[in-house]
């Protein structure tokens, strides 16, 4: 084979490999996983402002959100929020004396224990019922979830923006990959 043809063939092979790699990267980025940066303190102490996380975008195409999943969703302001799923479709939730009740049954939130122990006074989560948020809602409607930030005193969540449509959920996140000193799987 001539030297010129061999060089052109090699360039074409490298070009094809780069195009395929780019296509795979685009598919992964837009359909399977995407990075997100935590913006603010609403998920403290679980997540810190500036943490970089990976969002699994395929999980809820195959299944439904579960209680205490940390999800990313499109909020009404056009931003993406990171919050924790507290209530599921068909459930009645309320907080009383810093305790979560689902359909009248107390539910433990172990991820809040450390934060509650650091409080000098008052409650982490103020008392409320679904009816306090929306007088016409006694249970979470089908196709929606109730979400809250772990930093309950300083979180703009379903208590302020209402229940979140499952269709607005981008995906579940539980892997912090940056900063390297904070790499972890979040529960």
């Amino acid at each position: 084979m001539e030297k010129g043809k061999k060089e052109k063939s090699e360039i074409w092979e490298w070009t094809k490999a780069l195009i395929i790699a780019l296509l795979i990267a685009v598919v992964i980025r837009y359909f399977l996983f995407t990075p997100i940066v935590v913006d603010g303190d609403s998920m403290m102490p679980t997540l810190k402002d500036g943490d970089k996380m990976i969002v699994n975008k395929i999980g809820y195409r195959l299944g439904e959100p579960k209680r205490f999943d940390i999800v990313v969703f499109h909020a009404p302001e056009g931003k993406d929020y990171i919050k924790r799923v507290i209530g599921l479709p068909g459930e009645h939730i309320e907080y009383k004396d810093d305790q979560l009740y689902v359909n009248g049954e107390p539910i433990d939130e172990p991820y809040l224990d450390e934060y509650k122990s650091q409080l000098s006074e008052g409650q982490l989560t103020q008392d409320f019922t679904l009816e306090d948020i929306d007088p016409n809602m006694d249970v979470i409607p089908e196709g929606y979830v109730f979400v809250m930030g772990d930093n309950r005193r300083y979180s703009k969540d379903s208590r302020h923006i209402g229940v979140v449509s499952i269709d607005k959920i981008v995906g579940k996140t539980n892997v912090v990959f940056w900063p390297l000193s904070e790499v972890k799987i979040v529960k």
Side-chain angles (χ1 to χ4, degrees), residues 60 63-71 84-86 88 172:
Y60 295 142
E64 296 291 315
K66 294 178 178 50
R67 185 175 340 282
F68 305 143
D69 282 356
I70 297 175
V71 297
R84 191 180 294 272
V85 174
I86 301 299
L88 301 169
K172 176 181 175 177

Side-chain angles (χ1 to χ4, degrees), residues 49-91:
D49 184 40
D51 282 353
K52 293 184 172 122
M53 304 186 74
I54 296 173
V55 180
N56 174 348
K57 296 172 102 175
I58 58 173
Y60 295 142
R61 291 187 182 135
L62 305 174
E64 296 291 315
K66 294 178 178 50
R67 185 175 340 282
F68 305 143
D69 282 356
I70 297 175
V71 297
V72 175
F73 63 94
H74 301 304
E77 300 90 25
K79 288 179 64 176
D80 285 347
Y81 281 6
I82 300 175
K83 304 292 178 196
R84 191 180 294 272
V85 174
I86 301 299
L88 301 169
E91 294 181 338

Side-chain angles (χ1 to χ4, degrees), residues 24-44:
I24 291 170
V26 166
V27 167
I28 290 170
R29 167 70 167 83
Y30 288 100
F31 298 107
L32 304 177
F33 302 98
T34 191
I36 192 165
V37 178
V38 176
D39 182 19
D41 295 330
S42 71
M43 284 297 292
M44 289 284 290

Side-chain angles (χ1 to χ4, degrees), residues 6-184:
K6 186 175 180 184
E7 286 176 4
K8 284 182 182 178
S9 177
E10 192 172 317
I11 290 171
W12 174 241
E13 290 302 317
W14 277 104
T15 303
K16 285 194 306 188
L18 285 172
I19 290 170
I20 291 169
L22 284 172
L23 286 173
I24 291 170
V26 166
V27 167
I28 290 170
R29 167 70 167 83
Y30 288 100
F31 298 107
L32 304 177
F33 302 98
T34 191
I36 192 165
V37 178
V38 176
D39 182 19
D41 295 330
S42 71
M43 284 297 292
M44 289 284 290
T46 308
L47 303 173
K48 297 174 182 67
D49 184 40
D51 282 353
K52 293 184 172 122
M53 304 186 74
I54 296 173
V55 180
N56 174 348
K57 296 172 102 175
I58 58 173
Y60 295 142
R61 291 187 182 135
L62 305 174
E64 296 291 315
K66 294 178 178 50
R67 185 175 340 282
F68 305 143
D69 282 356
I70 297 175
V71 297
V72 175
F73 63 94
H74 301 304
E77 300 90 25
K79 288 179 64 176
D80 285 347
Y81 281 6
I82 300 175
K83 304 292 178 196
R84 191 180 294 272
V85 174
I86 301 299
L88 301 169
E91 294 181 338
H92 179 271
I93 65 163
E94 72 176 296
Y95 273 85
K96 185 175 181 184
D97 299 324
D98 230 358
Q99 174 67 54
L100 167 63
Y101 291 90
V102 176
N103 297 330
E105 297 294 319
I107 304 291
D108 287 332
E109 296 178 280
Y111 53 89
L112 294 178
D113 290 345
E114 175 188 343
Y115 205 14
K116 285 181 180 180
S117 69
Q118 296 171 0
L119 291 177
S120 57
E121 60 182 59
Q123 297 175 325
L124 179 60
T125 309
Q126 296 301 314
D127 294 354
F128 73 88
T129 65
L130 281 177
E131 293 86 353
D132 294 334
I133 294 161
D134 181 343
N136 298 317
M137 187 182 340
D138 60 341
V139 297
I140 299 165
E142 285 302 316
Y144 291 84
V145 293
F146 192 94
V147 298
M148 294 177 74
D150 290 356
N151 190 355
R152 302 291 167 78
R153 292 180 172 183
Y154 305 102
S155 176
K156 187 172 185 182
D157 50 39
S158 285
R159 296 171 292 174
H160 309 97
I161 63 172
V163 292
V164 174
S165 170
I166 292 173
D167 294 342
K168 298 284 185 189
I169 296 176
V170 175
K172 176 181 175 177
T173 184
N174 64 351
V175 177
V176 175
F177 71 89
W178 192 263
L180 287 176
S181 61
E182 297 289 325
V183 170
K184 62 183 172 185

